[in-house]
Amino acid sequence: MADDPGAESVARRARMRGRMERLYPIARSLTGDGVRETLQVLAESAPVQTVGVPSGTEVFDWTIGEEWNVRAAYVADASGRRVVDFAEHTLHLVGYSVPVRTRLSLADLRPHLHTLPDHPDWIPYRTSYYHRDWGFCLTQRCLDSLAEGEYDVVVDTTLEPGELVYGELLVPGESAEEVIVTSHVCHPSLANDNLTGLTVAIELAAWISARPHRYSYRFVFAPGTIGVLTWLNRNPDVLPRIRHGLVLTGLGGGGPLVWKRTRHGRRPVDVAASHVVRRLGGEVRAYSPYGYDERQFNAVGFDLPVGRLTRTPHGEYPEYHTSADNLGFVTDDELEESFAALTRIVDVLEGDATYVNLSPYGEPQLGARGLYPTMGGKAATDAVMAMLWTLAYADGTTSLVEVADLADLDFHLIRRAADDLLGAGLLAPADQ
Amino acid sequence: MADDPGAESVARRARMRGRMERLYPIARSLTGDGVRETLQVLAESAPVQTVGVPSGTEVFDWTIGEEWNVRAAYVADASGRRVVDFAEHTLHLVGYSVPVRTRLSLADLRPHLHTLPDHPDWIPYRTSYYHRDWGFCLTQRCLDSLAEGEYDVVVDTTLEPGELVYGELLVPGESAEEVIVTSHVCHPSLANDNLTGLTVAIELAAWISARPHRYSYRFVFAPGTIGVLTWLNRNPDVLPRIRHGLVLTGLGGGGPLVWKRTRHGRRPVDVAASHVVRRLGGEVRAYSPYGYDERQFNAVGFDLPVGRLTRTPHGEYPEYHTSADNLGFVTDDELEESFAALTRIVDVLEGDATYVNLSPYGEPQLGARGLYPTMGGKAATDAVMAMLWTLAYADGTTSLVEVADLADLDFHLIRRAADDLLGAGLLAPADQ
Amino acid sequence: MADDPGAESVARRARMRGRMERLYPIARSLTGDGVRETLQVLAESAPVQTVGVPSGTEVFDWTIGEEWNVRAAYVADASGRRVVDFAEHTLHLVGYSVPVRTRLSLADLRPHLHTLPDHPDWIPYRTSYYHRDWGFCLTQRCLDSLAEGEYDVVVDTTLEPGELVYGELLVPGESAEEVIVTSHVCHPSLANDNLTGLTVAIELAAWISARPHRYSYRFVFAPGTIGVLTWLNRNPDVLPRIRHGLVLTGLGGGGPLVWKRTRHGRRPVDVAASHVVRRLGGEVRAYSPYGYDERQFNAVGFDLPVGRLTRTPHGEYPEYHTSADNLGFVTDDELEESFAALTRIVDVLEGDATYVNLSPYGEPQLGARGLYPTMGGKAATDAVMAMLWTLAYADGTTSLVEVADLADLDFHLIRRAADDLLGAGLLAPADQ
């Protein structure tokens, strides 16, 4: 990528990594201070606004619940040694555990302890949002090491009226038409799911800000489901302006890029993202009503053109929702490739257009207009072919990304060809 | 299938088998007493009406011919021993053989004897409807054993003005709209082709009668081509009410289920039957203008949405139209699976509908409405997924069977999800 | 093919071969006497008209350049021996070489000498239409044999105001609607590219002339790009009458037949040619804006339904644009098969039509109308099946070639079936 020299990439990798390292230890959940702290970290890189909505607020079919915070949570043996401690890993406490302070035999404690027998060194991730309960998650190896006897259990949490908090960042463009990009912010110490989405989204916002762009880009960092529904509920004026949308999550962790289509399946964002993802060796999948927040945007009442970009999707890798989804599970190369894919998708959304050929009676003389490359080789051949394809389909109905797919050439080659042809007076925008 | 406990299945298998055993020895043809006798056997299980139409009646491009009956037919050697005898197997006589009483040398007899040299123990099935002739079918082994010498030939048949006879059974439903189910009744002692179609059709009629149903179901048991054309000719008032149709034949005899599409290819009955057959591991094929009576229904003048359900289609198994298509060639398991497929197709035809989501702004709270299964496991997961898919596509245009195909779930799961969602006030019929 | 007995084929092969042998030595280019001479050879077989358009004439975005002719061109060593001589092979001189008469050392000469190191015995084909230069093409082996020393270079060419010349042949039909067939005429001694196109086109014209036909067929033999654009420029009245078009080139040289679709992809000529080419084991490819003169016809301003028939396309065989594309590279069998494919495509274009079934209520009695074959075997089965398919889809919207594709039968069988059914009063044209 000519506009992304090596030094810039190196700096971006460092920023993405550093941001993930700072976010990783924070205890996030649907509500609570962890989300506020996370948004503050993001706000150091970009003007992310924090929005709080009070508990009890009705949000379509839902109501915002009480806010959950954790002061401390541990299990200690008779000697006082803390054998499981939330202070050591945020996954140790089942999300939304209610307060408890008691002493139990190991036998009575066991039903509250969750492990992964098949992965004895991994801590599972569990929540109990809708059923009032408490519990601890630990490694099987730790559980096996516990002696019989009495254990002190302390869950010092609060579940009280407060707020649901989300972050919002608007990068204004020439037009009031918007592209929405969302990333969920409600998972505790899980790197791929979804610190990758957050850190790449911040870089994408910076990249877009630094160059002219047509659309306004709105980044929403919200807790899953209820958080995004809250945003949807509070922004009825924005919804009609949304032209394209992307949910970002799991952008590291191995595997090729995967675009999950919108419910309609052939929205412009699907064409753009499919073009880019396929050319990068990735995969395009049909819509399904499970997954991340694309479910809410695509609900029949909103019907917004929002797809999802991931690498290997949730549930298809063993580290998913365990402590093995840690900072080591995500590589800088993966993040950088995911970032690059997103910039290419944005390039298509920004640059796609439809033209009419102003010299439509046979092929025009390209050489006479200085459009023939002076050097040979594959790049020159591609450049000439890109011009021929663009002229051949400048019929007022076929857009450039469709031409790129027909030609089996990267969009940026077709876009550059169209620019050269526009410069030579051989093309005009279709709607003029 | 919850509504089909084991005992019911056992009883049905016994009934299907018993009915086939009674029908097998009867000498059926396009016309004649064999058809009447067959319809009487069927009428013992269901109120099948017999309709007779006189010879000479014009039926579209055709005319009903004379009625053919057989009193006796045999070949006897010089000692009087009957070496081939219609009384032993109905296939021994070429269908529509004209009367003859003569003595011939083996050499002169040979042109009238038909065998299957590649299957020396099988008797072929032959007819001569349109060319006045006579002949016998026998095993190659029997032919090889015949000594030179004179043979007495007796074909004591009649070909006289009479009737073409067909059976009809109407199972009325809430609506005057009809589903037509036909099965040909003109083949002699051939089990798969088509005693299977007859015996399964009778069970299907009984099964439908025993439960509420929207459509009226009309079963027609008619001789092939001319018989169905006669029915079509006499029922111009019924034709506009036909919404779906199925031709049933070859429902045993091995191989997976095969749905042959209507000529248009994507009629509702095609969608329903393809869904069911594919989920049972079967096969869906394009329309072609040869085969059974689907040819008549799909003719451009009628253009009725009638497809065909078989297992391995005619001509694709060696036993086809030979004495090897006997009662042992058809298993009870095959009949029961074919029956079950038909009930599932009927369930789709009856239960398919289109809905609108009444809580369309994001996913509604299923748990708050008691819609989340209390138990875990695959059944619970499927039930939840079925609700999510149904809500996601309750857009007023996608029908439940289309949702089932998108979701890759059985129709009955989607139908049950829709019922649950209707009960919870989350859906409404699309046309209200 | 019943209408093409062996003797006719033998005579045609001889004519095609003889014509190629006479055309092969002629020095053709975009302009010059070689094209005139070529058109005179073609005019011996058919009334091909020669059209000349003066240098300087504007043709859409182009201008007809000066006419190029060669009197002599050679390189001679110090002894006077001509080591490379245009008189020996027309490929030896780079096309459009400007005049030069000089003496150069081998070192100074080398930049003007072109070889194919990977094929040391082949002479490459080079032109320099748009960049004023001169050069010679020779075998690598010849170059390697040249001693150091001085060489006399003579390029005795003229580049002067003159004409661009093309040929045109109209075979009138019952209708003013036209089928256009073009073949480029600007390549020097290259057999497959494109003496094959020329010689087969002449035979096709003769074949069409000899039988009744609906369309008028216009054959254009023009230099590539500028020649066809000149024809397009001078015939604005003809363009609206063009219904179908074929570019012919590379009809020998191995490989299966290849149909390259029109830009729209599903024009009637695409359906016809795809049917024929696929049934002959050939290949159908998508449109692309490179290749031969289909590029000009399909340009958005003309948008004419013109596809291309070749065997292995240009650039995909090593002999392409070298002296190895000689008369031995093309076999008579290939030419004859290409010819036969074209006649079959013409048969589809001429014979395709849409009918309505006049006996649409079920299958009509074919036997009663004498339409059943009296003999058995595959031909008889195909004939009956062709009638059944034709009747089944005589719905007023499906054309015969579409029926042939559905039925997986050759068009001529469906056409014959339709003729038989028309004769029996069972079909009528759809638009009456």
Side-chain angles (χ1 to χ4, degrees):
Chain A
M1 286 157 285
D3 55 0
D4 188 10
E8 199 172 308
S9 172
V10 168
R12 182 168 47 243
R13 286 161 186 250
R15 287 196 304 271
M16 291 195 288
R17 173 64 51 181
R19 199 177 290 120
M20 287 221 305
E21 286 170 349
R22 290 193 53 201
L23 294 172
Y24 184 72
I26 299 173
R28 279 166 294 270
S29 188
L30 285 189
T31 56
D33 288 331
V35 178
R36 289 187 189 89
E37 195 178 336
T38 297
L39 296 175
Q40 281 160 16
V41 171
L42 299 184
E44 293 171 15
S45 307
V48 176
Q49 304 293 316
T50 295
V51 179
V53 183
S55 299
T57 304
E58 295 199 359
V59 172
F60 301 116
D61 196 55
W62 303 69
T63 305
I64 295 175
E66 296 184 320
E67 181 174 333
W68 184 67
N69 280 292
V70 185
R71 276 188 290 257
Y74 60 86
V75 176
D77 64 15
S79 74
R81 189 176 62 91
R82 297 185 177 186
V83 297
V84 186
D85 191 349
F86 176 74
E88 284 184 6
H89 204 299
T90 64
L91 295 183
H92 276 318
L93 183 63
V94 168
Y96 271 64
S97 281
V98 296
V100 66
R101 190 174 292 267
T102 186
R103 174 168 294 191
L104 295 173
S105 71
L106 182 57
D108 289 343
L109 181 57
R110 275 186 191 276
H112 293 276
L113 301 182
H114 306 283
T115 66
L116 293 166
D118 289 347
H119 295 286
D121 292 317
W122 296 359
I123 309 165
Y125 167 48
R126 294 282 172 86
T127 63
S128 187
Y129 293 142
Y130 303 109
H131 171 61
R132 294 214 155 211
D133 202 353
W134 63 268
F136 286 87
C137 297
L138 64 163
T139 68
Q140 181 67 38
R141 211 171 295 279
C142 175
L143 177 60
D144 292 344
S145 73
L146 297 186
E148 294 300 322
E150 299 276 289
Y151 287 87
D152 283 313
V153 175
V154 172
V155 177
D156 185 7
T157 55
T158 55
L159 202 47
E160 297 169 344
E163 287 180 325
L164 178 144
V165 169
Y166 64 79
E168 196 167 6
L169 166 61
L170 183 68
V171 181
E174 297 162 17
S175 158
E177 299 186 331
E178 293 199 6
V179 179
I180 189 163
V181 183
T182 78
S183 219
H184 64 275
V185 76
C186 53
H187 280 32
S189 302
L190 297 167
N192 194 36
D193 182 18
N194 188 31
L195 302 183
T196 57
L198 298 175
T199 201
V200 172
I202 288 292
E203 290 302 319
L204 182 65
W207 183 85
I208 292 168
S209 301
R211 66 200 64 218
H213 50 278
R214 178 159 56 123
Y215 289 113
S216 297
Y217 287 78
R218 189 180 296 267
F219 293 79
V220 174
F221 306 107
T225 306
I226 182 72
V228 158
L229 287 171
T230 301
W231 182 87
L232 284 161
N233 190 254
R234 293 170 58 90
N235 290 278
D237 54 318
V238 174
L239 305 192
R241 301 202 305 267
I242 295 178
R243 292 290 165 274
H244 317 287
L246 302 97
V247 170
L248 305 185
T249 175
L251 295 175
L257 290 160
V258 177
W259 176 253
K260 175 181 167 178
R261 292 182 182 280
T262 68
R263 188 162 60 90
H264 287 273
R266 280 287 298 180
R267 301 278 208 162
V269 71
D270 292 310
V271 177
S274 298
H275 172 79
V276 170
V277 165
R278 285 203 180 109
R279 297 193 70 79
L280 290 169
E283 196 182 320
V284 176
R285 298 194 185 183
Y287 182 74
S288 63
Y290 48 94
Y292 293 95
D293 286 321
E294 66 277 8
R295 295 154 66 169
Q296 312 311 326
F297 290 107
N298 284 278
V300 289
F302 302 121
D303 207 18
L304 290 166
V306 178
R308 188 187 78 196
L309 188 72
T310 62
R311 303 187 81 93
T312 304
H314 64 285
E316 301 182 19
Y317 53 95
E319 297 85 354
Y320 173 69
H321 276 195
T322 77
S323 59
D325 178 4
N326 56 30
L327 292 169
F329 183 56
V330 171
T331 71
D332 292 349
D333 280 355
E334 290 159 359
L335 294 180
E336 182 68 3
E337 194 203 33
S338 298
F339 168 82
L342 284 163
T343 60
R344 288 172 66 169
I345 293 170
V346 167
D347 277 342
V348 178
L349 297 178
E350 289 284 326
D352 196 25
T354 304
Y355 296 98
V356 291
N357 184 333
L358 297 180
S359 181
Y361 298 109
E363 278 174 31
Q365 291 192 76
L366 298 177
R369 293 175 174 84
L371 294 175
Y372 256 99
T374 50
M375 305 289 286
K378 171 150 174 42
T381 305
D382 281 354
V384 173
M385 289 309 307
M387 284 188 281
L388 295 180
W389 280 100
T390 303
L391 288 166
Y393 286 91
D395 54 8
T397 61
T398 310
S399 85
L400 294 185
V401 67
E402 294 170 324
V403 176
D405 279 337
L406 286 167
D408 193 15
L409 288 171
D410 280 348
F411 175 79
H412 79 270
L413 288 175
I414 297 293
R415 179 66 260 181
R416 189 181 309 161
D419 288 337
D420 289 345
L421 295 168
L422 280 162
L426 290 171
L427 289 187
D431 48 3
Q432 294 190 354
Chain B
M1 283 156 286
D3 55 0
D4 188 10
E8 200 172 309
S9 172
V10 168
R12 182 169 47 241
R13 286 161 186 250
R15 287 196 304 272
M16 292 195 287
R17 174 63 53 181
R19 199 177 290 121
M20 287 222 305
E21 286 170 349
R22 290 194 53 202
L23 294 171
Y24 185 72
I26 300 173
R28 280 166 294 271
S29 188
L30 285 188
T31 56
D33 288 330
V35 178
R36 290 186 189 88
E37 195 179 335
T38 297
L39 296 175
Q40 281 160 16
V41 172
L42 300 183
E44 293 171 15
S45 307
V48 176
Q49 304 293 315
T50 294
V51 179
V53 183
S55 298
T57 304
E58 294 200 358
V59 172
F60 303 114
D61 195 55
W62 303 69
T63 306
I64 295 175
E66 296 183 321
E67 182 174 331
W68 184 67
N69 280 290
V70 185
R71 275 189 291 258
Y74 59 86
V75 176
D77 65 14
S79 73
R81 187 178 63 92
R82 297 186 178 184
V83 296
V84 185
D85 192 348
F86 176 75
E88 284 185 5
H89 204 299
T90 65
L91 295 183
H92 276 317
L93 182 63
V94 169
Y96 271 64
S97 282
V98 295
V100 66
R101 191 175 291 265
T102 186
R103 175 169 292 192
L104 295 173
S105 71
L106 181 57
D108 290 343
L109 181 57
R110 276 187 190 276
H112 293 277
L113 301 182
H114 307 283
T115 65
L116 293 167
D118 290 346
H119 295 285
D121 292 316
W122 297 359
I123 309 164
Y125 167 49
R126 294 282 172 88
T127 64
S128 187
Y129 293 142
Y130 303 109
H131 171 62
R132 293 213 155 210
D133 201 352
W134 63 267
F136 286 88
C137 298
L138 64 162
T139 68
Q140 182 67 37
R141 211 170 295 280
C142 175
L143 178 60
D144 292 344
S145 73
L146 297 185
E148 294 301 322
E150 299 276 289
Y151 287 86
D152 283 313
V153 175
V154 173
V155 177
D156 184 7
T157 56
T158 56
L159 201 49
E160 298 169 344
E163 287 180 325
L164 178 143
V165 169
Y166 63 80
E168 195 166 6
L169 166 61
L170 184 67
V171 181
E174 297 162 18
S175 159
E177 298 186 330
E178 294 198 7
V179 179
I180 189 163
V181 183
T182 78
S183 219
H184 63 276
V185 76
C186 52
H187 280 32
S189 302
L190 296 167
N192 193 36
D193 181 19
N194 187 31
L195 303 183
T196 58
L198 299 174
T199 200
V200 172
I202 288 292
E203 290 302 319
L204 182 65
W207 182 86
I208 293 168
S209 301
R211 66 202 63 218
H213 51 278
R214 178 160 56 124
Y215 290 112
S216 296
Y217 289 77
R218 188 180 297 267
F219 293 80
V220 174
F221 306 106
T225 305
I226 181 71
V228 158
L229 286 171
T230 301
W231 181 88
L232 283 161
N233 190 254
R234 292 171 58 92
N235 289 277
D237 53 319
V238 173
L239 305 192
R241 301 203 305 267
I242 294 178
R243 293 291 165 271
H244 317 286
L246 302 97
V247 170
L248 305 185
T249 176
L251 294 175
L257 290 159
V258 177
W259 176 252
K260 174 181 168 178
R261 293 182 181 280
T262 68
R263 188 163 59 90
H264 289 272
R266 281 285 299 179
R267 301 278 208 161
V269 72
D270 292 310
V271 177
S274 299
H275 171 80
V276 169
V277 165
R278 285 202 180 111
R279 296 194 70 79
L280 290 170
E283 195 183 321
V284 177
R285 300 195 183 181
Y287 182 74
S288 63
Y290 48 91
Y292 293 95
D293 286 321
E294 66 277 7
R295 293 154 66 168
Q296 311 311 326
F297 291 106
N298 284 278
V300 290
F302 302 122
D303 207 18
L304 289 166
V306 178
R308 187 187 78 195
L309 188 72
T310 63
R311 304 187 80 93
T312 304
H314 64 284
E316 301 181 18
Y317 52 96
E319 296 86 354
Y320 173 70
H321 276 195
T322 77
S323 59
D325 178 5
N326 56 30
L327 292 169
F329 182 57
V330 171
T331 72
D332 292 349
D333 281 354
E334 290 159 0
L335 294 180
E336 181 69 3
E337 193 202 34
S338 299
F339 169 81
L342 284 163
T343 61
R344 289 172 67 168
I345 293 169
V346 167
D347 278 341
V348 178
L349 297 178
E350 290 283 327
D352 196 25
T354 304
Y355 296 98
V356 291
N357 184 333
L358 297 179
S359 180
Y361 299 109
E363 278 174 31
Q365 291 193 76
L366 298 177
R369 293 175 174 85
L371 294 175
Y372 256 98
T374 49
M375 305 289 287
K378 171 151 173 41
T381 304
D382 281 355
V384 172
M385 289 309 307
M387 284 188 282
L388 294 180
W389 280 101
T390 302
L391 288 166
Y393 287 90
D395 54 8
T397 61
T398 311
S399 85
L400 294 185
V401 68
E402 294 170 323
V403 176
D405 280 338
L406 286 167
D408 193 15
L409 288 172
D410 279 349
F411 175 80
H412 79 271
L413 288 175
I414 297 293
R415 178 66 259 179
R416 190 182 307 161
D419 288 336
D420 290 346
L421 295 167
L422 281 162
L426 290 171
L427 289 187
D431 49 2
Q432 294 190 352
Chain C
M1 283 155 287
D3 55 0
D4 187 12
E8 200 172 309
S9 171
V10 167
R12 182 168 47 242
R13 287 161 186 251
R15 287 197 304 271
M16 291 195 287
R17 172 64 51 180
R19 200 178 288 120
M20 285 222 304
E21 286 170 350
R22 289 195 51 202
L23 294 171
Y24 184 72
I26 300 173
R28 280 167 294 270
S29 187
L30 285 188
T31 56
D33 288 331
V35 178
R36 289 187 188 88
E37 196 179 335
T38 297
L39 296 176
Q40 281 158 18
V41 171
L42 299 184
E44 294 171 14
S45 307
V48 176
Q49 304 293 314
T50 294
V51 179
V53 184
S55 298
T57 304
E58 295 199 0
V59 172
F60 301 116
D61 195 55
W62 303 68
T63 305
I64 294 175
E66 296 183 320
E67 182 173 332
W68 184 67
N69 280 291
V70 185
R71 275 189 289 259
Y74 59 86
V75 177
D77 64 16
S79 75
R81 189 177 63 93
R82 297 186 177 185
V83 296
V84 186
D85 192 349
F86 176 75
E88 284 185 5
H89 203 299
T90 65
L91 295 183
H92 275 318
L93 182 64
V94 168
Y96 271 63
S97 281
V98 295
V100 65
R101 190 174 292 264
T102 186
R103 173 169 294 192
L104 294 173
S105 70
L106 181 58
D108 289 344
L109 180 58
R110 275 186 190 277
H112 293 277
L113 301 182
H114 307 283
T115 66
L116 293 167
D118 289 346
H119 295 287
D121 292 317
W122 296 359
I123 309 165
Y125 168 48
R126 294 284 171 86
T127 64
S128 187
Y129 293 143
Y130 303 111
H131 171 61
R132 295 215 153 209
D133 201 354
W134 63 267
F136 287 87
C137 297
L138 64 164
T139 68
Q140 181 67 39
R141 211 170 296 278
C142 176
L143 177 60
D144 293 344
S145 73
L146 296 186
E148 294 301 322
E150 299 276 289
Y151 287 87
D152 283 313
V153 174
V154 172
V155 177
D156 184 8
T157 55
T158 56
L159 202 50
E160 296 168 345
E163 287 180 326
L164 177 142
V165 168
Y166 63 80
E168 196 166 4
L169 166 62
L170 183 68
V171 181
E174 297 163 16
S175 159
E177 298 187 331
E178 294 199 5
V179 178
I180 189 163
V181 182
T182 78
S183 219
H184 63 274
V185 75
C186 53
H187 280 32
S189 303
L190 296 168
N192 193 36
D193 181 20
N194 186 30
L195 303 183
T196 58
L198 299 175
T199 200
V200 172
I202 289 292
E203 291 302 319
L204 183 65
W207 183 87
I208 292 168
S209 302
R211 66 202 62 219
H213 51 277
R214 175 160 58 123
Y215 290 113
S216 296
Y217 288 77
R218 187 181 297 268
F219 293 79
V220 175
F221 305 107
T225 305
I226 181 72
V228 158
L229 286 171
T230 301
W231 181 87
L232 283 161
N233 190 254
R234 292 169 58 92
N235 289 276
D237 54 319
V238 173
L239 306 192
R241 301 202 305 268
I242 295 177
R243 293 290 166 272
H244 317 287
L246 302 97
V247 170
L248 305 185
T249 175
L251 294 174
L257 290 160
V258 177
W259 176 253
K260 174 181 168 178
R261 293 182 181 280
T262 68
R263 189 162 60 89
H264 288 272
R266 281 286 298 179
R267 302 277 207 160
V269 71
D270 292 310
V271 177
S274 299
H275 172 79
V276 170
V277 165
R278 284 202 181 110
R279 296 193 71 80
L280 290 170
E283 195 183 321
V284 177
R285 298 194 184 182
Y287 182 74
S288 62
Y290 47 93
Y292 293 95
D293 286 321
E294 66 276 8
R295 294 153 65 167
Q296 312 312 325
F297 291 107
N298 283 279
V300 290
F302 302 121
D303 207 18
L304 290 166
V306 178
R308 188 187 77 195
L309 188 72
T310 64
R311 303 186 81 92
T312 304
H314 64 284
E316 301 181 20
Y317 53 96
E319 296 85 355
Y320 172 70
H321 275 196
T322 78
S323 58
D325 178 5
N326 55 30
L327 292 170
F329 183 58
V330 171
T331 72
D332 291 351
D333 280 354
E334 290 159 0
L335 294 180
E336 182 69 2
E337 194 202 34
S338 299
F339 169 81
L342 284 163
T343 62
R344 288 172 68 169
I345 294 169
V346 167
D347 277 342
V348 178
L349 297 178
E350 290 284 326
D352 197 24
T354 304
Y355 296 98
V356 292
N357 184 332
L358 297 180
S359 179
Y361 299 109
E363 279 173 32
Q365 291 193 75
L366 298 177
R369 293 175 173 85
L371 294 176
Y372 256 98
T374 49
M375 304 290 286
K378 172 152 172 41
T381 305
D382 281 354
V384 172
M385 288 309 306
M387 283 187 282
L388 294 180
W389 280 100
T390 302
L391 288 166
Y393 287 91
D395 53 9
T397 62
T398 310
S399 85
L400 293 185
V401 67
E402 294 170 324
V403 176
D405 280 337
L406 286 167
D408 193 15
L409 289 172
D410 279 349
F411 175 81
H412 78 271
L413 287 174
I414 298 294
R415 179 66 261 180
R416 190 181 308 161
D419 288 338
D420 290 347
L421 295 167
L422 280 162
L426 289 171
L427 289 187
D431 48 4
Q432 294 192 353

